[in-house]
Amino acid sequence: MPDALAPTMTGTLLAIRDLEAWYGESHVLHGVSIDIRPGEVVTLLGRNGAGKTSTLRAIMGLTGRRKGSIVFEGRETIRMSPDAIGRAGIGYCPEERGIFASLDVTENLMLPPRVRDGGLDIPTIHALFPNLKERARSPGTKLSGGEQQMLAIARILRTGAPLLLLDEPTEGLAPVIVQQIGAMIREIKQRGFTVLLVEQNFRFAQTVADRHYVMEHGRVVDAVENSEMAGSLDRLHAYLGV
Amino acid sequence: MLEDFLFQVEMAAPQIVLGLVNGAFYALLSLGLAVIFGMLNVINFAHGAQFMMGAFVAWMLLNWLGIPYWGALILSPLIVGAFGVVLERLMISRLYKLDHLYGLLLTFGLALIIEGVFRNTFGSSGLPYAPPASLTGAPVDLGFMLLPKYRLWVVVAAFVTCIATWLVIEKTRLGAYLRAATENAPLVQAFGVNVPRMITLTYAAGVGLAALAGVLAAPIYSVNPAMGSNFIITVFAVVVIGGMGSILGSVITGFGLGLVEGLTRVVYPEASATVIFVIMAIVLLARPAGLFGRA
């Protein structure tokens, strides 16, 4: 790991140390350490099964047993329940998007309780995502994949949570929608939110992120500044097998 | 011919209205079961015992503390609901990750224990519970029949309770949490909602609905330890026909099957006790998820 990226405790929003996690008997994370500073967009890159999604789920307390340390805004959260972690100010957008079929679009949007001031209000959200206004009364899962992704992100922008965990928001979407999601993530960053993004597509990651962590076999094996991305392509190709 | 038909209708109407009274209990009980199943994935076999407890608590409130019917209508569901909180926290919550069958077996065992305790304490002959003075007296003339005031009250109270429950679930923020948690409880919890507490209170609410039905039933049926098990077998048939976990389905099916039962009593009285089970068999063959259930 390059020295410039060595974790520093000062000014970190989220500091993860030696995080281990299990699903039942299956040991999925073997000591993950990550630091995120306020206002950054940081990606977790890696192949399928490397532990990216499990890392996000472990931060939210949604895996089984967890070990290690996850300090968010100076508070240790490793022993907190998922609802306490959510209320502490971490917004979660899961891989399968988690749009509820029995709730309409507005109900989906309003579902996560506000955890703090500073979230986007509804007019701002409707200005950013006009489709969500047009289709306010449709069942959530009748939206297109791209619209569902927008909804999944919009609803956590509303809550005021300063840290957003986005799990593969571009998965399965058409290139033009992927571009919109990219623009949206840059807009979120502009507004001062901090984002931890799981991605398989490092070309997309390159267009939105400040830094990248590479995961393999449940560990962080490398870290790359976005500015060094071009010079590190061979290394990344080797990790990601692309 | 027409006169013949009118005569038939006149004969049938009282039975149909009485069927509606039974239907009111089917609807209230299957509604509670649906609420519990939707949220906990547990088939609450103790529902009949909790219905019986509701009636007994009303009797105890009146005879031991002098609290009349209207007080019992509120207090009994709260007391039995609190008992539900204890059951859920201590026992049922340990079974959520297992197959439905374990929850069913546990609650069935609980039902037997609760009934046994009440039989040992109060005997099995049944205790009288008079309807409140304001609902006795001259029956209401519906034009084609005289209906005791109390039975009319039961139908209205059950209907209003069902509609109110449905409104809470479909139209409020709390209801949105419940529906969302039914689909994906971990995600709702990660949004900051205390889902375990919500599950406990949902069980308590379902149990409270059973107890409310029990208080409503106390003046009609004698208060006895078996009153729940007499009802609950039919109610499970109603739930199967309506579709497990469907709120509106359980209400419509409850009232509907009460009517069908009443109608059968006119047309072919011998079949009135079995008609619901025949319908259940047909529905299971034709639409295994139930009339309103999602496959």
Side-chain angles (χ1 to χ4, degrees), chain A residues 60 62 81-83 86-87 92 94 96 98-103 107 110-113 155-156, chain B residues 170-173 176-177 179-181 183-184 186-196 294:
Chain A
M60 294 313 302
L62 295 173
S81 61
D83 48 307
R87 275 198 308 275
Y92 175 52
E96 70 285 7
I99 299 302
F100 299 100
S102 57
L103 275 61
E107 284 179 318
M110 302 303 283
L111 186 80
R155 70 178 169 193
I156 53 174
Chain B
E170 291 299 324
K171 302 291 171 200
T172 67
R173 189 168 177 78
Y177 286 149
R179 279 175 288 142
E183 282 184 52
N184 187 347
L187 182 58
V188 174
Q189 190 173 4
F191 285 153
V193 177
N194 189 338
V195 171
R294 269 170 291 216

Side-chain angles (χ1 to χ4, degrees), chain B residues 215-238:
Chain B
V215 182
L216 287 173
I220 298 184
Y221 311 95
S222 84
V223 178
N224 75 81
M227 66 191 285
S229 35
N230 295 342
F231 249 114
I232 207 67
I233 301 299
T234 314
V235 169
F236 273 107
V238 171

Side-chain angles (χ1 to χ4, degrees), chain B residues 40-42 94-103:
Chain B
L40 283 75
N41 258 334
V42 164
R94 296 166 197 275
L95 303 178
Y96 294 144
K97 293 199 172 87
L98 304 176
D99 190 84
H100 294 335
L101 191 59
Y102 291 90

Side-chain angles (χ1 to χ4, degrees), chain B residues 63-101:
Chain B
N63 290 282
W64 296 355
L65 301 173
I67 296 173
Y69 177 83
W70 299 109
L73 206 56
I74 294 163
L75 283 177
S76 176
L78 290 177
I79 293 167
V80 182
F83 174 72
V85 168
V86 176
L87 286 187
E88 196 278 341
R89 278 293 87 207
L90 290 184
M91 291 181 236
I92 300 171
S93 58
R94 296 166 197 275
L95 303 178
Y96 294 144
K97 293 199 172 87
L98 304 176
D99 190 84
H100 294 335
L101 191 59

Side-chain angles (χ1 to χ4, degrees), chain A residues 203-221:
Chain A
R203 290 179 206 291
F204 171 78
Q206 212 177 346
T207 65
V208 295
D210 300 302
R211 290 189 296 128
H212 312 272
Y213 286 102
V214 183
M215 289 193 72
E216 238 174 29
H217 307 304
R219 288 187 182 84
V220 171
V221 292

Side-chain angles (χ1 to χ4, degrees), chain B residues 17 20-21 24-25 28 69-74 129-136 139-140 142 147-161 212-220 255:
Chain B
V17 172
L20 207 55
V21 176
F25 288 112
L28 268 182
Y69 177 83
W70 299 109
L73 206 56
I74 294 163
Y129 188 92
S134 49
L135 293 176
T136 50
V140 183
L142 297 178
L147 184 67
K149 262 191 206 164
Y150 187 78
R151 297 193 180 220
L152 182 65
W153 153 249
V154 166
V155 173
V156 172
F159 187 72
V160 169
T161 307
L212 178 74
V215 182
L216 287 173
I220 298 184
F255 278 104

Side-chain angles (χ1 to χ4, degrees), chain A residues 88-109:
Chain A
I90 306 182
Y92 175 52
C93 174
E95 189 174 18
E96 70 285 7
R97 299 181 187 127
I99 299 302
F100 299 100
S102 57
L103 275 61
D104 67 27
V105 168
T106 302
E107 284 179 318
N108 266 290
L109 184 60

